[in-house]
Amino acid sequence: MTDTTYDGPILEIDKLSISFFTRLREIPAVMDFSATIRPGEALGLVGESGCGKSTVALGVMQDLGVNGRIVGGSIKFKGEEMNTMSRERLRDIRGSQIAMIYQEPMASLNPAMKIGKQLAEVPMIHEGLSESDALARALEVVTDVKLPDPARILKSYPHQLSGGQQQRIVIAMALMSKPSLLILDEPTTALDVTVEAAVVELVKDLGKKYGTSMLFISHNLGLVLETCDRICVMYSGEAVERGSIEDVFDEMQHPYTQALFRSIPLPGANKNARPLIAIPGNFPLPHERPTGCNFGPRCDYFEDGLCNENLPIEMYPVHGNDRHQTRCLRFQEIDWNAPIDVGAQTAKPEPGRVVLKMDNLKKYYEVAANALFGGGDKKVVKANETLSFEAREGETLAIVGESGCGKSTFAKVLMGLETATDGQILLDNKAIQDIPIEERDTKTIADVQMVFQNPFDTLNPSMTVGRQIIRALEIFQVGNSDAERRERMLELLDLVKLPRAFADRMPRQLSGGQKQRVGIARAFAGDARIVVADEPVSALDVSVQAAVTDLLMEIQREHKTTLLFISHDLSIVRYLSDRVMVMYLGHVVELGSTDQVFAPPYHPYTEALLSAVPIADTSITKKHIVLEGDIPSAMNPPSGCPFQTRCGWKSQVANGLCEKEVPPVRILSEGHQVKCHLSDRDLADMEPVIQIAAE
């Protein structure tokens, strides 16, 4: 039941401090944290992993586990102090007035229970509704979250839905009792960018419809810009800046906020002329925080004797702005508009000769129609359909598309983990598509290497970093003695900018970004000619992303490596790549230079992808395209054009051609091709999706 008479702030957090207690010590996770959320307001909480964002959310939910304790400050929900609430009162509020949506949707759903029953439970428990009334409300909310055929969805089990549909069900569950406060903890991290755009749009619309206030936790500044009214930036357990979106984005007043923005690829960033600037040093561990300002050791404006004094630093108001505050002693004397010191500019290397050529590559899988019990007829999954492209020495070719489009399948065939169904892969004019990895010679294996998405899964936890790299050198037959291999291993650590002392460390002693560097060192152990980087930075924080992408570029320039960069993050693709290949359901729908692919005319799918990318820049206007429906299954692809079921341009093409025939590959200009039935006139009429406001 919602209290309609209360009109103060929905949530007031004042000087909150949370610690976790281990046998050895107290670990302060959050210190002196304050925030206010007014009715109908959305507050974005941003910062790198480990800064305490989720701890704040769990503190609000009073769900800190056995070791966590609130050691100072207060949390008021609608004026009522939560730290002293009885368990019964908390149980009443949680789920009915405060709801939380987690990062991984399946963690919130019961796999053995139908969706309708799970949704109906909420109002039955909290409001005492009858089952029929609760199911009627479930149908209404599932319709609200824009799921197709709501009645069928209510009768489905969670595993029968896609990731995006599951996340919508979790949002529906959170909204079942019309809460006053919705806490979203990285709700779209596991989703594709087009699905993310639809979910974000949905959250905004529902927030308005239900008048719900929101606490939106994210490390993606672009998403916060699109969903929130206000922002709070956290660093190492403290709020360092907060204010309205416009104030913080356009008039930032804390060095950490500025450093974050400098490490993300905004439109106009150029890998050669204006490289991203990574934040120097490492994030401090909670028990190793410096004296004075936590950000001091990594700050460009650090002043000895002031910033490292053993005194607490307050949040200071920024004059003239709406509730804008900063935790910086020098914010009034810093010239925030000073031009960035760009550092060394590098010339764009000219791509060399063709080292890799794919010609009409096909990869089909045969699966039993009844996959669970192996009965029935065979069905064919067309994972890759007539894939043709070439990659040159020293070039970065980005491969983009949603999950299920065949990006990783083609990488597996290239690596020899799978063999092709048809077509050719030529490495230095030698066909390798039919040679599985166990039959490839050492040189071919060393020449084609991979950097994986998750650095945690690719290192052996019981082997030192140095030993793992030496093992790769042994396999690639590099060096004639142990001493030579050890020296080469240390040179590889230098190459990826890790201290040589890390050779004796175990993977668990490394951060995510450091582990990814070890993965890169290992990939380059045999002087790889082609490196397939499969989402190599998507599991990393933005500041670490900048350092790792910069490192890949530097190694590429030095070694003339060909980089195949698989990603769904178009901001980083625009920054990194020389050419872009857009895939959808096994087909290459567009291929061209980065400038060609990011400017109209586009393939309609590329246009939708560009519109879906959240950009952390208030001066940008974007055309708004939300794709309806989910990606069709590769086991049962639509007839005609693979994209026709979700295409907004289909009505422009006469005679239902899109539904009948796969479009031919058309050359729009030299090096730029699309697979589309649209007429030349329609393509010429396309407008840019992203417009940068004139200075």
Side-chain angles (χ1 to χ4, degrees), residues 575-640:
Y575 170 73
L576 273 183
S577 58
D578 303 306
R579 287 193 308 134
V580 180
M581 180 164 96
V582 183
M583 289 185 71
Y584 186 82
L585 218 59
H587 292 258
V588 176
V589 294
E590 184 161 7
L591 175 63
S593 72
T594 308
D595 290 343
Q596 287 168 333
V597 172
F598 278 79
Y602 315 101
H603 186 281
Y605 177 57
T606 311
E607 182 188 43
L609 275 182
L610 286 171
S611 142
V613 178
I615 299 172
D617 189 337
T618 53
S619 67
I620 274 178
T621 49
K622 273 196 319 186
K623 200 163 153 191
H624 195 63
I625 304 161
V626 170
L627 289 181
E628 296 298 324
D630 286 312
I631 307 172
S633 158
M635 207 187 287
N636 190 17
S639 59

Side-chain angles (χ1 to χ4, degrees), residues 360-419:
N360 286 332
L361 179 82
K362 292 185 181 181
K363 176 61 186 171
Y364 294 173
Y365 294 98
E366 267 200 357
V367 292
N370 184 340
L372 195 59
F373 302 108
D377 304 329
K378 295 276 188 195
K379 271 197 165 184
V380 173
V381 176
K382 297 181 176 181
N384 287 149
E385 192 67 89
T386 57
L387 205 61
S388 297
F389 70 88
E390 50 189 42
R392 297 171 182 276
E393 188 176 71
E395 175 181 61
T396 304
L397 172 68
I399 297 138
V400 296
E402 296 166 282
S403 17
C405 74
K407 307 187 296 279
S408 298
T409 301
F410 121 78
K412 283 179 190 164
V413 177
L414 175 60
M415 299 292 298
L417 300 170
E418 302 273 2
T419 52

Side-chain angles (χ1 to χ4, degrees), residues 228-278:
C228 300
D229 311 297
R230 303 184 63 75
I231 182 172
C232 174
V233 182
M234 281 189 84
Y235 180 79
S236 190
E238 294 179 322
V240 292
E241 183 165 11
R242 57 173 170 256
S244 71
I245 291 285
E246 289 75 17
D247 288 345
V248 175
F249 275 58
D250 298 341
E251 296 178 46
M252 55 196 72
Q253 299 284 312
H254 195 281
Y256 176 59
T257 314
Q258 186 185 55
L260 267 186
F261 274 91
R262 286 178 178 177
S263 65
I264 55 177
L266 295 173
N270 178 305
K271 66 179 175 185
N272 297 306
R274 224 193 84 206
L276 301 182
I277 300 170

Side-chain angles (χ1 to χ4, degrees), residues 384-458:
N384 287 149
E385 192 67 89
T386 57
L387 205 61
S388 297
F389 70 88
E390 50 189 42
R392 297 171 182 276
E393 188 176 71
E395 175 181 61
T396 304
L397 172 68
I399 297 138
V400 296
E402 296 166 282
S403 17
C405 74
K407 307 187 296 279
S408 298
T409 301
F410 121 78
K412 283 179 190 164
V413 177
L414 175 60
M415 299 292 298
L417 300 170
E418 302 273 2
T419 52
T421 307
D422 196 8
Q424 260 194 330
I425 302 178
L426 298 173
L427 176 65
D428 292 327
N429 284 326
K430 180 179 143 197
I432 58 167
Q433 70 280 352
D434 298 324
I435 311 173
I437 194 158
E438 55 271 20
E439 291 171 27
R440 289 188 177 182
D441 58 65
T442 306
K443 183 173 178 345
T444 306
I445 292 173
D447 275 350
V448 186
Q449 282 293 301
M450 195 154 179
V451 177
F452 294 91
Q453 179 169 359
N454 197 339
F456 307 94
D457 296 342
T458 53

